[in-house]
Amino acid sequence: VFNDILAIEPENVKAMLYLGECYSTTEQYKLAVDILWKALELEPDEADLYFILGTNYTKMGSYDEAITAFNNVVRIEPDNYRAHYNLGVIFAVRGWSEEAMLSLKRALSIQPDYTAALEKLMEFNTNLMASYPEDITPYLDLGEGLRLAGNYSEAIPYLEYVLEADPDNSAARYSLGIAYAGLSQYERATEYLTDLLSDNVGDYEATLALAETYAQVGRQGHPTLLLWGRHDRMIPFETHRRVLDALPG
């Protein structure tokens, strides 16, 4: 049918897209790639074309081309969580752990209930933990992934393990603050976030998270509480001011 349409309307991009999908479904990947590239010559910024192209390249095992295609998807649609997930899967297959984690966590940050991304992240990091038991990075990545997915109780043990091994780990302190806030344990959240800010005055994300935590418990009227992290460490005035500025009016 789509070939008939293209015989009459040779520049019908939608028909090319649907034909590419049909070729892909019947495992005619080379034909799919060819028709999709023809469509892209006409519509070079069509994200759906790049997405289907990347899917076909992945099935063909042409990972370099697939990465390029999915990168074009996120260039056009930065919040396309499926494209970030597909990049994460390809990076994981290649053993590029840092790139895989960035892409999978990005997918979860956009779509926290995206089960496939969380499962792949858990699988990949569990394997890394078994292979490299002394490396805390997989524990951090798994904790952050669980936190992004809203699984706060599950995230905390991994993040606290990281902090025990590396007490100055900013990413673990930030994620612990977010996780405890998500569990409505605001005192613990405040402890981690103020401790982080005492060492990182310009950390905007931590500043905003702390402000939101205080807003949750109605502490806007008690700004002096923001001056303290652990009882022996004071947050610099500039950070204190930024927290106050971030609070709702």
Side-chain angles (χ1 to χ4, degrees), residues 41 86 101 118 124 142 145 148 170 172 174 178 187-188 197-198 205 248:
E41 290 176 4
N86 287 345
M101 289 306 100
L118 181 59
F124 190 70
L142 182 51
L148 288 167
S170 297
Y174 173 77
I178 297 297
E187 293 295 336
R188 294 299 304 276
L197 284 167
S198 67
E205 293 297 331

Side-chain angles (χ1 to χ4, degrees), residues 45-240:
D45 286 326
E46 178 53 59
D48 288 343
L49 292 171
Y50 280 115
F51 190 91
I52 301 169
L53 183 66
T55 300
N56 280 277
Y57 275 133
T58 302
K59 292 176 179 177
M60 294 167 66
S62 301
Y63 295 129
D64 286 341
E65 291 82 359
I67 289 169
T68 299
F70 288 126
N71 275 332
N72 273 306
V73 176
V74 300
R75 171 182 61 82
I76 300 164
E77 297 180 353
D79 289 341
N80 191 311
Y81 62 92
R82 294 187 302 147
H84 287 290
Y85 166 74
N86 287 345
L87 282 167
V89 170
I90 296 170
F91 292 145
V93 168
R94 288 200 151 176
W96 299 353
S97 57
E98 184 176 349
E99 292 83 354
M101 289 306 100
L102 285 172
S103 292
L104 292 172
K105 286 190 286 188
R106 177 62 178 149
L108 286 168
S109 71
I110 299 166
Q111 191 73 18
D113 62 353
Y114 193 29
T115 304
L118 181 59
E119 288 177 348
K120 176 56 68 174
L121 185 143
M122 292 177 70
E123 174 193 347
F124 190 70
N125 282 296
T126 299
N127 290 336
L128 286 176
M129 290 174 192
S131 300
Y132 306 99
E134 301 302 318
D135 187 1
I136 63 172
T137 303
Y139 293 87
L140 176 61
D141 285 329
L142 182 51
E144 288 184 327
L146 288 164
R147 188 262 300 174
L148 288 167
N151 297 354
Y152 302 124
S153 296
E154 295 177 47
I156 286 170
Y158 294 105
L159 297 168
E160 289 186 335
Y161 176 85
V162 172
L163 209 56
E164 182 178 345
D166 179 10
D168 294 326
N169 192 294
S170 297
R173 287 189 284 177
Y174 173 77
S175 282
L176 280 165
I178 297 297
Y180 277 113
L183 293 171
S184 300
Q185 297 184 34
Y186 300 117
E187 293 295 336
R188 294 299 304 276
T190 299
E191 177 185 347
Y192 283 112
L193 292 171
T194 54
D195 192 48
L196 172 58
L197 284 167
S198 67
D199 293 330
N200 299 273
V201 175
D203 191 324
Y204 174 78
E205 293 297 331
T207 300
L208 182 60
L210 182 59
E212 290 175 346
T213 299
Y214 277 105
Q216 285 293 321
V217 291
R219 288 183 176 171
Q220 301 97 312
H222 302 282
T224 55
L225 292 174
L226 301 177
L227 288 170
W228 297 94
R230 296 191 322 230
H231 294 295
D232 60 333
R233 301 181 71 174
M234 181 172 272
I235 298 176
F237 174 77
E238 176 63 17
T239 302
H240 168 63

